[in-house]
Amino acid sequence: FAGEMKMSKKLIVISLGQGQGPIAEKLMGQAMEKGTWVLLQNCHLASSWMPRLEAIVEQYDAEAIHRDFRLWLTSMPSDKFPVSILQNSVKMTIEPPRGVKMNMKGSY
């Protein structure tokens, strides 16, 4: 999708985990100014940082953010994921295919 929107060179990807929260926060701030996209992967691994992410998202000012900015999040199901982010987001889910053969086929 990023390629179709001519944003593939403007996509910043970071996998969350131990110590990645402050780095992600800095990248998000830069992306809001420049109009780039940020993909935060594995949000379920950064459960201690989720309240901070929620605070950042709640403080968004649509007038101050570049119109091309997008924040993409990936996560496994987690009760630590902020409900307010889910309520104010467009959500996509991918169900794993049934069976080993179909699972392997989906990987490639």
Side-chain angles (χ1 to χ4, degrees):
F1 182 72
E4 290 176 24
M5 300 300 294
K6 297 183 177 136
M7 294 297 286
S8 56
K9 292 182 180 177
K10 295 182 179 182
L11 173 65
I12 302 164
V13 180
I14 184 167
S15 292
L16 294 179
Q18 193 171 22
Q20 297 299 308
I23 297 168
E25 187 172 348
K26 181 180 176 184
L27 292 173
M28 288 169 55
Q30 293 171 353
M32 284 185 236
E33 292 175 10
K34 296 178 183 177
T36 55
W37 291 5
V38 176
L39 169 59
L40 302 180
Q41 295 178 321
N42 303 320
C43 290
H44 59 283
L45 298 178
S47 58
S48 63
W49 188 69
M50 287 296 101
R52 180 65 190 138
L53 176 63
E54 182 176 28
I56 293 167
V57 171
E58 286 178 355
Q59 293 174 1
Y60 278 175
D61 177 13
E63 299 296 320
I65 296 174
H66 193 287
R67 68 181 193 92
D68 291 334
F69 169 72
R70 299 292 184 277
L71 176 62
W72 300 81
L73 308 170
T74 68
S75 179
M76 297 291 289
S78 172
D79 59 347
K80 304 290 186 197
F81 200 92
V83 174
S84 64
I85 293 177
L86 291 172
Q87 290 173 336
N88 294 306
S89 302
V90 175
K91 292 160 281 301
M92 298 182 294
T93 56
I94 300 174
E95 296 290 330
R98 294 180 186 244
V100 175
K101 184 177 179 181
M102 291 304 293
N103 203 345
M104 292 299 289
K105 187 176 179 180
S107 297
Y108 297 99

